[in-house]
Amino acid sequence: MHPKFQHFIDGQSVSPQNGDWIDSINPATGAVWAQFARGNAADVAGAVRAANTACNRPDWRDDSANRSAVLHAIADHLDKNFEQLIEMEINDNGKRIREVRAQMAGLGGWYRHFAMALADMQVEKLSLDQPGVSAHLELMPFGVVGAITAWNSPLMIAAWKVAPALAAGNAVIIKPSEMASASSVVFAELLAPVVPNGLINVITGYGHEAGAAIVAADAVRKVTFTGSEIGGAKVAGTAAEHVKPVTLELGGKSPQIVFADANLENALNGVLSGIFLSNGQTCVAGSRLIIHNSIRDDFLRRLQSNLESLRYGDPLRDDTDIGPIANKPQFDKILAMLDRAKQAGADILAGGHKVTVEGFENGFFIAPTILQNVATDSEIWQEEVFGPVLCVNGFETTADAINMANDSHYGLAAGVWSSDAEFAKDVASRVHAGTVYINHYRSVSACAPVGGVKRSGYGRELGPNAIRDFMQEKAVWQGDAPMPDPYAQ
Ligand code: NAD
């Protein structure tokens, strides 16, 4: 029998009302390892009721000191117990243990940051342009927040939503991906001793069933979504019908621009980490390398030789460099895109095929792939692969490099590599992206906003406004002089 992961509602593990379950496949073995509750509208209704009650309790809604204390308790509890979450997530999405351990060890930090940021929030006095009145700004939580997450880093993505949403005084319903729900369920169960019932609920299931029901539920007043462009567009459509705001963190096709004067060792590490470290399954994957023609061949040779020594294997082992692709649909999608790229004439410098790994013959492994001379209007250059596929084109002039970088319907992140700091800043300001890294790549911090432009989404997570983004403004006016007779004027 496989372990069964139930919903988590109002502090309790709850079976799905329709009795249906979804199989979760371990991508390293290709075998079913667990089952998740297949949530429907009735399950969602229970979670919404619990969340709505929890967020309206005065000791939550009106007591920021209590909220800060709960967030600190979550952080402390995660610091002590995060090890329990590591294997769950790897069984679901196959990410290498060194990366997952680092993410889990850092989970508590996100909650601690927002506990402290909440303590620093001030009531704002408004300066009015009228005599006889004064006003101040009150910030109100939305109430119930729907937090819909993707499969690549379920608990880190959830932290970016749940921590500021709770700090703001909301209650949340997390809907993890149907491909990787185990860690979110165990996370909520683990925190039960330190989180008042109903504040963190988890409903598992498919997007078009459980996810859509959360977005449509009346009492859910804000939705924050991380996932694909197609999923995001559907969520935004449903949210629009029900008149509620959405934050969309979607995909990307992020460029890494390497200029001739760059420190090539740093740039090499940045490019490798940007596209191959998590098998390219990160939203900011630096999947388009735009490199000056004068250094291109040498740089690509060094990239290739770095890939040769990498070890495939069990993602649960510390000495594995390349684990499996997270799930079968994604594995099939990447291979199909590679086939079409080959047919379209892309030149394969490395990889480009699946890999059979001893002991994991049914696992979903793909070789890190470098494609050069890729037509800039081709599918593989323009569309997100979300896999270990780096496309390369050379440039001659700075204008060409920036035009190539911006010729994309995405705009999530970009890398700029140059030894000239002023020049690099100028390029950074001309690149269309929500985040630009100069001589660096792939870091995240609770202090810096994350989000996209164009079809990479809208709204931001993290950063200085993260808590306010989970609150609504109320202007409170105060008459300081007698109210005039309205007909006397
Ligand atoms: P997905 O859109 O298939 O699913 C994401 C989540 O949305 C899942 O929980 C899914 O069940 C749910 N969902 C799907 N359709 C829905 C609907 N109609 N109503 C409500 N919920 C629905 O995406 P995925 O394949 O899980 O994730 C990969 C994508 O996520 C990639 O495009 C990647 O770039 C993106 N991503 C973005 C960021 C970021 O911060 N910008 C971070 C990680 C991943």
Side-chain angles (χ1 to χ4, degrees):
M1 274 297 282
H2 310 298
K4 282 190 150 126
F5 293 88
Q6 298 172 292
H7 302 308
F8 189 80
I9 301 173
D10 208 11
Q12 308 289 326
S13 298
V14 178
S15 285
Q17 295 206 19
N18 58 9
D20 286 346
W21 299 85
I22 300 171
D23 287 341
S24 176
I25 293 173
N26 179 331
T29 63
V32 175
W33 80 278
Q35 289 188 308
F36 308 138
R38 179 173 170 176
N40 63 11
D43 299 315
V44 168
V48 170
R49 265 194 307 277
N52 205 23
T53 304
C55 67
N56 282 307
R57 283 191 201 112
D59 65 349
W60 184 251
R61 193 190 154 96
D62 305 328
D63 187 346
S64 61
N66 181 36
R67 299 203 300 273
S68 186
V70 168
L71 285 164
H72 275 296
I74 293 175
D76 293 344
H77 205 65
L78 287 171
D79 284 352
K80 284 193 205 109
N81 297 293
F82 71 88
E83 294 275 352
Q84 296 176 37
L85 301 164
I86 295 173
E87 198 171 326
M88 297 293 147
E89 204 155 291
I90 297 173
N91 286 344
D92 263 349
N93 71 7
K95 193 179 269 200
R96 288 180 330 134
I97 191 162
R98 277 180 283 161
E99 286 176 69
V100 177
R101 192 185 288 121
Q103 278 189 357
M104 296 302 178
L107 269 189
W110 302 108
Y111 291 86
R112 192 167 291 108
H113 171 90
F114 289 107
M116 294 189 299
L118 170 62
D120 287 343
M121 284 179 81
Q122 311 280 344
V123 174
E124 272 175 53
K125 198 168 178 308
L126 298 171
S127 4
L128 295 180
D129 51 0
Q130 291 169 28
V133 279
S134 54
H136 71 270
L137 195 64
E138 200 178 294
L139 294 170
M140 309 172 280
F142 280 93
V144 183
V145 168
I148 301 177
T149 60
W151 44 256
N152 56 333
S153 297
L155 284 184
M156 190 178 78
I157 293 172
W160 299 1
K161 303 175 186 309
V162 173
L166 292 183
N170 302 286
V172 292
I173 303 173
I174 303 172
K175 211 303 278 171
S177 165
E178 58 274 26
M179 302 284 179
S181 301
S183 61
S184 299
V185 173
V186 177
F187 164 83
E189 290 169 356
L190 182 73
L191 291 177
V194 295
V195 177
N197 289 352
L199 289 176
I200 299 180
N201 307 277
V202 179
I203 294 285
T204 59
Y206 292 114
H208 66 280
E209 295 176 350
I214 291 171
V215 181
D218 250 357
V220 173
R221 295 312 315 153
K222 166 151 179 146
V223 176
T224 161
F225 174 91
T226 298
S228 64
E229 193 186 327
I230 294 175
K234 285 200 181 127
V235 164
T238 309
E241 276 171 40
H242 294 267
V243 194
K244 61 186 77 172
V246 197
T247 301
L248 296 182
E249 296 285 353
L250 310 179
K253 193 80 192 178
S254 300
Q256 294 255 37
I257 313 175
V258 183
F259 289 94
D261 66 346
N263 175 320
L264 293 190
E265 198 55 38
N266 286 342
L268 196 77
N269 285 333
V271 170
L272 279 169
S273 113
I275 186 66
F276 295 128
L277 204 64
S278 300
N279 264 332
Q281 299 171 131
T282 60
C283 51
V284 297
S287 49
R288 290 185 298 147
L289 172 61
I290 299 171
I291 185 160
H292 195 267
N293 284 327
S294 64
I295 53 168
R296 167 184 165 151
D297 290 347
D298 176 45
F299 193 84
L300 291 179
R301 254 192 309 276
R302 289 163 74 171
L303 257 186
Q304 269 175 290
S305 79
N306 263 281
L307 298 182
E308 278 156 16
S309 55
L310 298 177
R311 292 154 300 189
Y312 294 87
D314 185 350
L316 286 166
R317 285 181 58 124
D318 270 313
D319 58 1
T320 293
D321 296 314
I322 305 179
I325 299 302
N327 53 63
K328 183 74 164 56
Q330 187 61 19
F331 178 70
D332 291 341
K333 176 192 151 187
I334 297 169
L335 291 175
M337 285 184 87
L338 287 176
D339 277 346
R340 290 196 291 273
K342 287 177 213 167
Q343 280 159 23
D347 179 5
I348 299 174
L349 266 186
H353 51 80
K354 60 182 170 185
V355 173
T356 304
V357 176
E358 201 185 329
F360 295 91
E361 286 76 6
N362 295 321
F364 311 138
F365 294 86
I366 293 182
T369 298
I370 304 176
L371 304 173
Q372 71 167 343
N373 299 329
V374 180
T376 54
D377 60 354
S378 65
E379 177 195 51
I380 202 80
W381 182 263
Q382 288 291 341
E383 298 303 325
E384 182 182 50
V385 179
F386 218 55
V389 179
L390 178 69
C391 297
V392 186
N393 268 306
F395 70 87
E396 276 301 319
T397 68
T398 302
D400 286 347
I402 294 171
N403 286 341
M404 215 187 286
N406 288 341
D407 176 22
S408 168
H409 56 253
Y410 293 113
L412 195 60
V416 176
W417 301 89
S418 163
S419 301
D420 181 339
E422 285 311 307
F423 169 76
K425 272 193 231 158
D426 179 52
V427 172
S429 68
R430 290 155 68 193
V431 170
H432 304 155
T435 299
V436 183
Y437 299 100
I438 296 173
N439 297 332
H440 187 76
Y441 206 73
R442 218 175 157 226
S443 290
V444 280
S445 158
C447 303
V450 167
V453 301
K454 299 193 267 185
R455 297 180 80 102
S456 289
Y458 47 78
R460 292 292 179 266
E461 290 188 315
L462 305 178
N465 299 319
I467 299 178
R468 277 187 80 137
D469 285 347
F470 284 100
M471 302 181 103
Q472 287 177 302
E473 293 180 346
K474 180 193 279 181
V476 182
W477 290 63
Q478 165 91 45
D480 300 326
M483 188 77 197
D485 173 353
Y487 296 102
Q489 293 161 4

